[in-house]
Amino acid sequence: MEAFKEGYEFFEKNAGNFAGYTAGVRYIDSVESEIKKLVNNLNEFKASGALIDTLKGDAAEFWHAGTFNINAAINSSTNRVQVDRSHDFGSADITGVNFDAKFGLKYYKNGASSAEQQAKSIFQRFSEYQSQGGKDALDLYLEKRGYSADTILSDPVYKGQYRVIPSDQLEEATMSLERKISEDAVKWPEQVYRREETLELLSDRVKDNEGNESIPLSEKEARELATLSKEGGVNSEDLHLTTEELIKYTDMLKKSYKAGLTAATISMVLRVAPEIWNAVAYLIKNGYVDEKQFKKIGFAALTGAGEGFVRGTVSAAITASCLSGVFGKDYKKVNPSVVGVVTVLVMNSMKSSYKVFTGEMNRSEMVNELIKEMFITTCAFSMGLLGDAYIKISLPNFLSKLNKVISLGYMIGSFVGSIAGSVIYSSIYNPVLSFCVESGFTLFGLVDQDYELPEEVVKEIGIEIFEYEKFEYESFEHEKFDYERFDYEQLNYDKIKTIFLRRGVIGVNCVGYL
């Protein structure tokens, strides 16, 4: 039972570390997952037979959608977009998966052309259809495309969509639209709306209202990307889409802060739960709740939340920094669980070292505590990884949202690992200590062997002991001599004052003695 209690206390103390570790790992995994999706989507164009002029637009679609999702993952946002690959009349190229937004891309040779294509009216598209041999009359043409008879033919085809064009054409496109708006206002007022609406929604990137956005792409870069995609040679390093280049310290600090808040909540619940149970047991036994129980619950909540926040924030920051490559590319190769174990041990070592410094713990106790924590931590992380990989739980909707924040499988596994590690360590430690008692083995200095007989035993066998540490002696009080004080009067003598005169200016144009 004691081992179970120690295991629970270990998990409760380090739950913040576990929560922060899982948050850091999931954060980097989500960013790298979006990077891989983009690279794979671009390399799929290797089998395409399209010309570069056509393929550059397709490549741009996946670039903007992919880099938006990468940026959203970096910002810990749930917003995502997708490339629809739809060729329906007026359909969007990119749409929001879980937020309402549509984006249309046009990558033509210059800004004026791209802007004109974005502002094209329904009637212009019908005219193009007829020039290419289309036989349907206007009414039938509109009906097949989901328009009613009262459709305004001068409305833009891509009405309501954000218009995305190459970054190097944005200025030229803006000037072109403004110029044509001024001309249409005089000649064809009905054409003004489609250009004004296009100008208002014109951009060089895909973005939402939460600060997530894609990386702008010029027309030249789109061509180069299409060429690289057709060769199947796209990789994240050449595109500068790596975690060490994309993730900044501020991004990790924001994520670590959120992880710290989550860890604080978990630690507070774990710290308060035993106290609440004790209060309930006291109530059942005595019929009332002691005031001190409430004080203990409040103190446990305060200390648990505070320590959990610090541990969760630090663990998330260190884990994310190592896996993202911010500390160097070599650290990206380190097993994440090793980083988690080291983080827990370092933080616990700092706490134990402080106790040794203040005299609350001696060196042997600290070493034994570190060995014990190393063993239990290893068990906790190992079981946590197994729980995250193999435990399949049919979660209700409200728990599914929680599972996105922390890995329930990992937390359950680490809890079981903490209990099991404590029980196993206790079962091993007691026989080893018994062996040291019988043999005198010091276990490489970890066990102190004291051969001094206890005081009770010495007195029992009749040996008198002189305890110099406890020897009390009488202090010597010497006689004091009080002498009479002589008070004297102070003599105030007459002082002679000497003044030295000098010549100087004493007035306007006047010299005299100063």
Side-chain angles (χ1 to χ4, degrees):
M1 188 64 185
E2 185 65 25
F4 179 88
K5 179 183 177 182
E6 290 180 355
Y8 179 87
E9 291 176 348
F10 176 86
F11 178 75
E12 174 263 311
K13 182 177 70 173
N14 295 282
N17 290 102
F18 299 144
Y21 160 78
T22 56
V25 171
R26 285 195 166 198
Y27 176 61
I28 301 302
D29 284 347
S30 65
V31 177
E32 289 187 335
S33 175
E34 296 297 342
I35 294 174
K36 290 178 181 177
K37 286 180 184 177
L38 173 56
V39 171
N40 291 338
N41 286 332
L42 291 173
N43 279 326
E44 285 182 1
F45 288 118
K46 183 178 181 180
S48 174
L51 299 175
I52 296 300
D53 284 340
T54 303
L55 197 58
K56 67 178 181 180
D58 296 330
E61 291 176 6
F62 282 100
W63 171 268
H64 280 286
T67 54
F68 174 91
N69 291 338
I70 292 170
N71 186 244
I74 291 174
N75 295 334
S76 300
S77 172
T78 58
N79 283 359
R80 293 293 188 272
V81 295
Q82 65 183 9
V83 178
D84 292 334
R85 304 296 287 164
S86 174
H87 299 287
D88 294 339
F89 185 84
S91 62
D93 297 312
I94 299 173
T95 56
V97 175
N98 51 356
F99 69 103
D100 187 21
K102 295 180 180 180
F103 305 88
L105 279 71
K106 298 297 179 186
Y107 268 67
Y108 281 74
K109 59 182 179 180
N110 54 53
S113 300
S114 295
E116 187 61 28
Q117 292 296 324
Q118 291 284 23
K120 186 166 290 186
S121 69
I122 297 174
F123 186 76
Q124 284 178 309
R125 288 293 294 271
F126 173 69
S127 299
E128 291 176 355
Y129 164 77
Q130 283 188 323
S131 64
Q132 295 171 1
K135 303 298 183 182
D136 292 341
L138 178 60
D139 292 344
L140 183 58
Y141 176 85
L142 294 175
E143 183 181 347
K144 286 183 176 180
R145 287 154 183 80
Y147 291 97
S148 60
D150 57 349
T151 298
I152 300 175
L153 298 179
S154 60
D155 277 357
V157 175
Y158 306 108
K159 184 178 180 179
Q161 297 181 22
Y162 292 95
R163 318 301 213 283
V164 181
I165 62 174
S167 58
D168 56 334
Q169 297 179 4
L170 185 60
E171 184 177 355
E172 180 188 354
T174 301
M175 293 174 62
S176 175
L177 287 170
E178 290 174 344
R179 183 178 65 255
K180 290 190 176 183
I181 289 171
S182 299
E183 295 174 356
D184 290 343
V186 178
K187 300 178 181 180
W188 301 286
E190 70 277 2
Q191 303 296 327
V192 172
Y193 170 70
R194 65 184 175 94
R195 301 191 193 280
E196 286 183 336
E197 198 250 4
T198 300
L199 180 60
E200 182 182 355
L201 300 177
L202 194 65
S203 179
D204 63 347
R205 67 197 70 189
V206 171
K207 55 186 177 182
D208 60 8
N209 58 357
E210 296 183 9
N212 306 308
E213 60 182 27
S214 64
I215 299 176
L217 188 71
S218 67
E219 195 271 341
K220 180 182 177 182
E221 290 171 336
R223 282 180 170 275
E224 294 174 350
L225 186 62
T227 303
L228 198 61
S229 300
K230 200 166 184 179
E231 296 172 354
V234 178
N235 62 75
S236 58
E237 289 79 11
D238 292 341
L239 298 180
H240 301 286
L241 297 178
T242 58
T243 52
E244 56 265 31
E245 294 181 271
L246 295 174
I247 300 178
K248 309 301 181 186
Y249 282 108
T250 53
D251 299 322
M252 282 186 291
L253 289 176
K254 290 177 183 178
K255 182 62 182 179
S256 300
Y257 177 77
K258 292 180 180 179
L261 293 177
T262 303
T265 304
I266 296 172
S267 298
M268 181 184 68
V269 171
L270 292 172
R271 184 72 62 88
V272 169
E275 299 300 335
I276 293 177
W277 173 258
N278 291 335
V280 172
Y282 189 92
L283 174 64
I284 295 173
K285 182 178 180 181
N286 300 284
Y288 66 93
V289 178
D290 188 6
E291 180 183 353
K292 295 180 180 179
Q293 295 285 348
F294 288 102
K295 291 181 179 180
K296 291 181 69 176
I297 292 173
F299 183 75
L302 182 63
T303 56
E307 185 173 352
F309 176 78
V310 173
R311 287 179 174 271
T313 302
V314 173
S315 294
I318 293 176
T319 303
S321 297
C322 288
L323 299 182
S324 67
V326 171
F327 288 163
K329 290 185 177 181
D330 292 338
Y331 285 94
K332 293 185 69 174
K333 303 175 183 177
V334 179
N335 191 310
S337 59
V338 174
V339 177
V341 170
V342 172
T343 303
V344 173
L345 293 178
V346 169
M347 295 188 71
N348 290 344
S349 298
M350 292 172 62
K351 191 173 183 180
S352 299
S353 299
Y354 178 77
K355 288 184 178 181
V356 172
F357 177 76
T358 56
E360 296 181 45
M361 182 184 292
N362 58 40
R363 185 190 66 84
S364 297
E365 290 174 337
M366 186 189 78
V367 174
N368 179 65
E369 188 71 16
L370 291 179
I371 293 174
K372 181 179 180 180
E373 288 180 345
M374 184 181 298
F375 181 82
I376 299 177
T377 302
T378 303
C379 292
F381 271 92
S382 300
M383 290 298 294
L385 293 174
L386 289 174
D388 197 32
Y390 297 109
I391 294 180
K392 305 297 181 181
I393 306 175
S394 299
L395 296 174
N397 290 332
F398 73 97
L399 285 181
S400 297
K401 295 180 180 179
L402 177 62
N403 193 48
K404 293 179 181 178
V405 180
I406 58 169
S407 175
L408 291 179
Y410 184 89
M411 296 302 290
I412 293 172
S414 58
F415 174 76
V416 174
S418 299
I419 302 297
S422 179
V423 172
I424 294 172
Y425 183 85
S426 297
S427 63
I428 296 175
Y429 178 75
N430 292 332
V432 170
L433 202 60
S434 299
F435 173 75
C436 293
V437 170
E438 297 294 332
S439 64
F441 182 47
T442 62
L443 200 62
F444 307 105
L446 298 179
V447 178
D448 289 331
Q449 293 289 352
D450 187 357
Y451 295 100
E452 188 176 301
L453 291 176
E455 181 180 345
E456 294 79 7
V457 176
V458 174
K459 288 181 179 180
E460 184 69 23
I461 61 179
I463 299 177
E464 294 184 0
I465 302 174
F466 175 69
E467 298 178 290
Y468 59 89
E469 299 93 343
K470 299 180 180 179
F471 177 70
E472 297 180 359
Y473 55 88
E474 296 181 358
S475 59
F476 174 72
E477 296 288 340
H478 58 80
E479 295 183 359
K480 297 180 180 179
F481 171 72
D482 295 329
Y483 56 87
E484 295 183 359
R485 295 180 177 274
F486 175 72
D487 297 328
Y488 57 88
E489 296 181 0
Q490 186 174 357
L491 175 64
N492 294 322
Y493 55 88
D494 296 331
K495 298 179 181 179
I496 300 175
K497 185 176 182 182
T498 303
I499 299 175
F500 295 93
L501 300 179
R502 64 182 179 85
R503 300 280 288 175
V505 179
I506 60 174
V508 180
N509 294 333
C510 182
V511 177
Y513 286 101
L514 298 173

